[in-house]
Amino acid sequence: MQQAVLSGPRTFRLDAAATPSPGPGEVLVKVRMSGVCSSELGAWRDGEGAPRLLGHEVAGTVAAVGAGVAGLVPGDPVTGLFHKGFADYAVAPQDRVAAIPPGIAIEHAFGEPIACAMSGARRTPVDLGDRVAVVGLGFMGLLMLQLLRLKGPAHILGIDMRDDALAAGRGLGADATARPGDLAADLKAVFPFAADDPRGFDMVVEATGTQAGLTLAVELVRFHGVLSILGYHQGGPRQVDMQLMNFKACDVVNAHERRAGYRMDCMRRGLALAAAGRLQLAPLATHGFPLDRLGDAFAVLQDKPAGFIKSAVLLPG
């Protein structure tokens, strides 16, 4: 099989590798789609840890199963929690593999990030009638926006720098959108009381992973509101205005999860929502590349050309 190897800064090579054999309790998957995650963007830029095998957002079909595996047979479409996913084949324990329900295309079955968004949404308290702001309308922010919409807020404001991201937010459930620089004027139109009201938003989700996004989110949350940090922060420490947070007496939720069993439960729940038409995945899959253009898939994630939401490697069946 072919395996993409990060060999240096912004450089992948394709190596010939032996196709792995599933051990007891393991599932071998023919990779059909492997999403490109921003958590690996820094490694691609810097060549960190090279030579290194990346890719953890795998979906494909079962190629073989190891001893003791039940309920899965060759040809079944699956996703799950994988490693070394930028390759023709990947292997994972059965308890980290989930069936893709009918109606979801394999190239849209982003199981691992769905699990992350679902676990974040389940940990993020939203009450009926709440005012919610989502800071950052990238792939994860748009997943989170849709999931929070299901919780019954009265109004969701989506915030991003890019016009196409704002349009995507409106198409996926935001009642209104705003650029950070125009926020005060837009808030007066959307919430006539909010621009001068120190309460701000009941719930603010930070989904940028940036210092600027975190700073804005702290500013927007109301007294005794909740700030949910969904963004994956990399590249060193962040600063927050603790005096302002203390004064507001707001709660902070770390919307990240590491327990594999809980993440798999979240993944299956999210896939069920998608199969029922309550979570839209197809509009989020905007850029696909063959394995030998994996570097291009990372480059568009970094540069975010017009219309970009998510890039992935697509492999033939």
Side-chain angles (χ1 to χ4, degrees):
M1 72 169 190
Q2 288 190 313
Q3 174 84 62
V5 180
L6 180 70
S7 56
R10 302 171 186 257
T11 305
F12 285 99
R13 69 170 189 261
L14 285 184
D15 284 357
T19 301
S21 298
E26 292 184 334
V27 179
L28 177 68
V29 172
K30 174 67 179 75
V31 178
R32 295 281 306 282
M33 185 279 295
S34 191
V36 178
C37 179
S38 60
S39 69
E40 295 179 330
L41 189 58
W44 169 74
R45 286 197 198 107
D46 303 334
E48 178 186 345
R52 183 175 176 184
L53 304 180
L54 302 178
H56 57 268
E57 299 183 358
V58 168
T61 55
V62 175
V65 298
V69 172
L72 291 173
V73 298
D76 284 349
V78 295
T79 182
L81 304 178
F82 288 83
H83 299 287
K84 308 176 185 178
F86 293 133
D88 289 321
Y89 292 89
V91 67
Q94 182 182 13
D95 62 3
R96 298 192 181 190
V97 175
I100 300 172
I104 302 177
I106 289 177
E107 59 267 27
H108 303 153
F110 298 101
E112 193 273 345
I114 288 171
C116 293
M118 278 291 296
S119 63
R122 292 174 74 182
R123 296 178 69 175
T124 298
V126 174
D127 203 355
L128 294 171
D130 270 355
R131 299 168 293 168
V132 173
V134 178
V135 181
L137 297 177
F139 177 71
M140 292 302 292
L142 291 170
L143 280 177
M144 189 70 154
L145 186 156
Q146 294 182 72
L147 295 172
L148 296 184
R149 178 89 274 170
L150 298 175
K151 291 193 168 192
H155 212 109
I156 299 180
L157 176 69
I159 302 165
D160 203 281
M161 298 287 292
R162 300 177 297 137
D163 289 338
D164 52 338
L166 298 176
R170 291 190 295 272
L172 292 171
D175 297 290
T177 56
R179 285 172 167 269
D182 300 330
L183 196 55
D186 283 7
L187 280 177
K188 290 178 182 177
V190 178
F191 302 111
F193 49 82
D196 300 317
D197 185 347
R199 291 180 302 171
F201 290 87
D202 303 296
M203 162 60 62
V204 178
V205 174
E206 184 279 307
T208 68
T210 68
Q211 178 65 65
L214 181 61
T215 298
L216 177 60
V218 173
E219 293 171 352
L220 292 176
V221 69
R222 68 165 172 85
F223 290 7
H224 291 280
V226 179
L227 168 62
S228 179
I229 301 176
L230 179 68
Y232 189 69
H233 289 263
Q234 305 173 77
R238 295 286 186 254
Q239 293 182 331
V240 295
D241 186 341
M242 284 306 303
Q243 181 177 352
L244 180 59
M245 292 180 69
N246 290 163
F247 184 64
K248 288 186 171 185
C250 60
D251 292 332
V252 179
V253 173
N254 180 354
H256 291 261
E257 176 61 53
R258 288 292 171 261
R259 295 167 295 177
Y262 184 77
R263 292 172 71 195
M264 290 305 301
D265 180 62
C266 289
M267 186 185 301
R268 294 185 176 95
R269 289 170 181 250
L271 290 168
L273 288 174
R278 297 180 183 178
L279 179 63
Q280 301 299 314
L281 301 177
L284 306 180
T286 57
H287 289 67
F289 298 87
L291 185 59
D292 62 4
R293 292 183 59 198
L294 177 56
D296 293 336
F298 274 88
V300 297
L301 171 59
Q302 174 181 259
D303 298 339
K304 295 180 173 56
F308 174 84
I309 297 175
K310 180 72 171 178
S311 61
V313 168
L314 304 178
L315 296 93

